[in-house]
Structure formats: C-alpha cells, structure tokens
Amino acid sequence: MDMSTSPRPISVLVVDDHPLLRAGLTEAISSQGDMRVVGEAANGREAVDAYGRLRPDVTIMDIAMPELNGVDALHAIRREHNHARVVMLTTYKGDAQILRAVQGGAAGFLLKSTLRKDLLDTVRGVHMGQRRIPPEIAMELAQHMGQGPLSPREMEVLNYAASGHSNRRIAERLTISEETVKAHMKNVLAKLAANDRTHAVTIALKRGIISI
C-alpha cells in the first residue's frame, strides 16, 4: 500500500497580518493536491478563535502581529489543544521570541527569506510529526539553550568589561592572568551569542543579566 498519498488533504490555517503574504501562502498551499487552506486569520486573537473552530492539521503563524503576537497565540492554542502543530513564521533568525516559541511547543519555523523553498516540505514534515527548524535558527537556539548560565567568574569579568576595564586591568583586579580573562570573555561571547565584548555587554544589559 502506498503511504505517500494521503487520502485526506492536510488542512492548513494561515495566520499573518499582511494580506499579500497571506495570499501568497494560501496560493502556494492550495496549488498542492495533498493540502488545502481551511482558514485565514490576521492576528493572534483571530488565530486562537479560528483554531478552535477549524482544528487544522497544521497552522502557519507569523511571530510578530498586532492584537496578540504569534508566540502568545501559540501558547493560548496549545493550552487548549496540546497536540496543535504550529509553524512560526519569522523574518529574523535571532528573534528573542523564538526561544519562547520553542518552549511553547512550536512544531517548526519558517524564515520569510526562504519561504518559497521550504514552505511545502515544512507543512508535510510537521504534519508527519517532525520538528522543522532551519539551521540558522537551530544555531541560535543552541547558543541560548545549550550553553547554560554565566559562571560567577564570567559575571565578574563581564561586569568589569561593562565598566570599561581592559583585559589587563580586569586581570589585575581579579589576580588572574590576562590569558584567563580572555578565555572567560570567549565563553561569555559564546553563551550570549555576541560578536564582541561591547555586544556582550549590550545583550547582558538587555536581558537583565547585569546592570550598570
């Protein structure tokens, strides 16, 4: 028996506040024999209502929307329907909301820049129970989730750096070698996914890890 042809098309709910993008998604999905769009919504609040009414197999939902953003809508949907398969649509791979979406049980992510290439495979994969996370987002997540919190020593180094101290000065203050300071700083950059020390300080301040 050929399992690749599903007797019933995959039902898809499309949620985006941009009518043009919504129309493009709907058109691409509707052109496929094995899937159909059963509904559309323009914001997170409409999405929660539409999901409850339609119970689609797969929901494609923009992260950034008015009324109720996509991540909050995802959490609301999955509170009521914990088997919901929701794919989040994002323009930016480093979006802070991506981590919240993963924690909220998102089944996958689509980058708007690669939509044309990835859309249909992602819908099919998620419908089959896979998690579809583009490599760019996976790398970002690994840096947030896999590295763990800063150690007390790394916090000290970062705090001194935030106060404008050079590596040599930090080494003197902590009575450790300059090489050790550099090693700590390298770990800090990796854990915060920062490009340089200034970026690390900015991220740490934004995330409330340190305060000046």
Side-chain angles (χ1 to χ4, degrees), residues 29-193:
I29 291 163
S30 302
S31 72
Q32 302 298 301
D34 63 338
M35 54 183 84
R36 67 194 176 99
V37 173
V38 291
E40 295 182 27
N43 61 53
R45 232 174 270 293
E46 285 182 15
V48 176
D49 291 345
Y51 188 93
R53 277 199 327 275
L54 302 165
R55 303 292 176 90
D57 295 320
V58 177
T59 300
I60 295 172
M61 180 153 60
D62 198 357
I63 276 190
M65 290 186 297
E67 297 269 334
L68 188 67
N69 71 47
V71 180
D72 289 336
L74 163 75
H75 281 258
I77 288 169
R78 285 189 48 97
R79 258 198 309 275
E80 297 292 318
H81 314 277
N82 63 353
H83 298 306
R85 290 174 175 163
V86 183
V87 176
M88 305 306 293
L89 201 51
T90 177
T91 47
Y92 174 53
K93 56 185 179 294
D95 194 325
Q97 292 280 38
I98 284 172
L99 190 55
R100 280 193 64 223
V102 169
Q103 289 161 343
F109 295 89
L110 276 166
L111 291 169
K112 289 186 182 175
S113 54
T114 58
L115 251 188
R116 201 176 286 277
K117 184 165 66 77
D118 297 335
L119 173 66
L120 302 173
D121 280 348
T122 298
V123 170
R124 290 186 183 107
V126 163
H127 179 58
M128 283 158 47
Q130 298 171 2
R131 275 192 116 178
R132 300 298 287 252
I133 300 182
E136 302 93 321
I137 289 179
M139 277 171 62
E140 194 75 30
L141 288 171
Q143 284 174 317
H144 283 308
M145 294 169 89
Q147 296 284 359
L150 300 186
S151 71
R153 184 60 104 189
E154 287 160 1
M155 288 285 290
E156 284 180 310
V157 168
L158 185 58
N159 270 305
Y160 278 123
S163 308
H165 291 73
S166 67
N167 284 350
R168 200 180 80 222
R169 194 73 192 279
I170 296 170
E172 286 167 7
R173 286 289 176 92
L174 298 175
T175 56
I176 53 177
S177 74
E178 204 172 326
E179 285 308 307
T180 305
V181 172
K182 284 180 186 165
H184 285 312
M185 189 52 81
K186 194 176 168 194
N187 288 340
V188 168
L189 298 187
K191 286 182 180 181
L192 297 179

Side-chain angles (χ1 to χ4, degrees), residues 18-35:
H18 294 101
L20 275 176
L21 184 58
R22 220 166 50 236
L25 287 166
T26 299
E27 193 181 329
I29 291 163
S30 302
S31 72
Q32 302 298 301
D34 63 338
M35 54 183 84

